[in-house]
Amino acid sequence: MPQARSTSGHRKAQIRDNLLFFSKFFRHGTTIASIWPSSKALSNATIKEIDWHSAKVIVELGAGTGPITEAIIKKLQPQTMFIAIERDRDFARILQERFAGLKNVHIVQADVRDLDGVLKSHDVKHVDAFVSGLATPSLPLSVRKRMLVSVRRYLVEDGVFSNITEVPFLYWRYYKKIFKDVSFDFVAINMPPGGVYHCRACR
């Protein structure tokens, strides 16, 4: 019985968080990449390019209510630092409550334009993988530029930048302008169907 109550409580919290995400989408529009949190299929596709055995630092941008965050934490190795950055105060609070006290996991409420400062404050010199839940091409130009300057500065030579999208293939040319190597995974099991751009070798 205690297990059943625990499961029921988890489901209620998930529904609450999903509805909060839905309401935020309509308030903030294109600054949130999707109308609904990422499905398990999309979350797993987003992190599939990470080398879990060699990665020392993984950074998530725009963690939302945490479906990708949770997928990362499940695979996180003892030697890896994980930093999840979320600007929205309500989302950040949810993440901090869910993942409080986990070793090598840092939930930071901050804007991605301050990415450089966040990484410096955690004494990060290099990042092996950036995972983004942001609608990167739709971000204000000044925010996007500052974020990508930091991505270029910190991403290791063979590192990966993975960004979800709800508009499959539309932004292929956009990412090709920033990275030399771009691939795309289509994910039908998501609301709406979407996918992930996996990008390497910054231009």
Side-chain angles (χ1 to χ4, degrees):
M1 287 299 290
Q3 182 63 40
R5 285 197 295 270
S6 176
T7 302
S8 173
H10 175 74
R11 287 176 179 167
K12 286 179 181 178
Q14 190 173 47
I15 291 170
R16 180 200 64 206
D17 295 347
N18 289 352
L19 292 174
L20 176 63
F21 192 99
F22 184 75
S23 69
K24 297 270 185 182
F25 176 84
F26 280 99
R27 270 185 273 168
H28 302 296
T30 55
T31 59
I32 295 179
S34 180
I35 197 169
W36 201 253
S38 301
S39 66
K40 189 171 291 187
L42 183 58
S43 297
N44 289 333
T46 306
I47 64 174
K48 63 174 280 194
E49 295 294 322
I50 297 175
D51 186 339
W52 299 100
H53 297 292
S54 66
K56 293 182 175 63
V57 180
I58 298 170
V59 177
E60 183 181 10
L61 309 173
T65 55
I68 298 174
T69 312
E70 183 175 6
I72 291 172
I73 288 173
K74 283 180 179 178
K75 287 182 169 287
L76 202 63
Q77 300 297 302
Q79 80 280 359
T80 308
M81 175 191 291
F82 172 46
I83 302 172
I85 299 172
E86 173 53 53
R87 182 186 68 171
D88 186 272
R89 181 171 57 186
D90 294 326
F91 290 165
R93 176 183 51 77
I94 289 169
L95 295 172
Q96 288 162 352
E97 289 174 357
R98 284 182 64 191
F99 304 117
L102 294 181
K103 185 179 179 182
N104 295 340
V105 174
H106 306 274
I107 308 298
V108 181
Q109 184 188 349
D111 193 295
V112 290
R113 77 183 76 201
D114 300 320
L115 176 58
D116 185 69
V118 171
L119 296 179
K120 284 180 178 175
S121 71
H122 288 82
D123 199 28
V124 171
K125 302 293 191 298
H126 305 287
V127 174
D128 298 279
F130 283 99
V131 175
S132 175
L134 300 170
T136 297
S138 301
L139 292 174
L141 183 59
S142 61
V143 176
R144 199 182 342 144
K145 279 187 172 181
R146 286 185 61 173
M147 182 188 86
L148 290 173
V149 163
S150 295
V151 169
R152 287 189 179 99
R153 180 178 299 145
Y154 287 92
L155 189 64
V156 298
E157 188 175 348
D158 59 346
V160 63
F161 174 89
S162 298
N163 205 130
I164 68 171
T165 183
E166 64 173 18
V167 190
F169 300 105
L170 180 64
Y171 296 113
W172 184 279
R173 290 185 180 179
Y174 170 79
Y175 287 107
K176 283 293 288 184
K177 291 178 182 177
I178 304 168
F179 299 92
K180 296 175 185 176
D181 181 5
V182 178
S183 62
F184 183 79
D185 283 334
F186 175 70
V187 181
I189 306 174
N190 194 65
M191 191 173 81
V196 190
Y197 290 96
H198 298 291
C199 309
R200 299 179 184 273
C202 298
R203 293 187 182 276

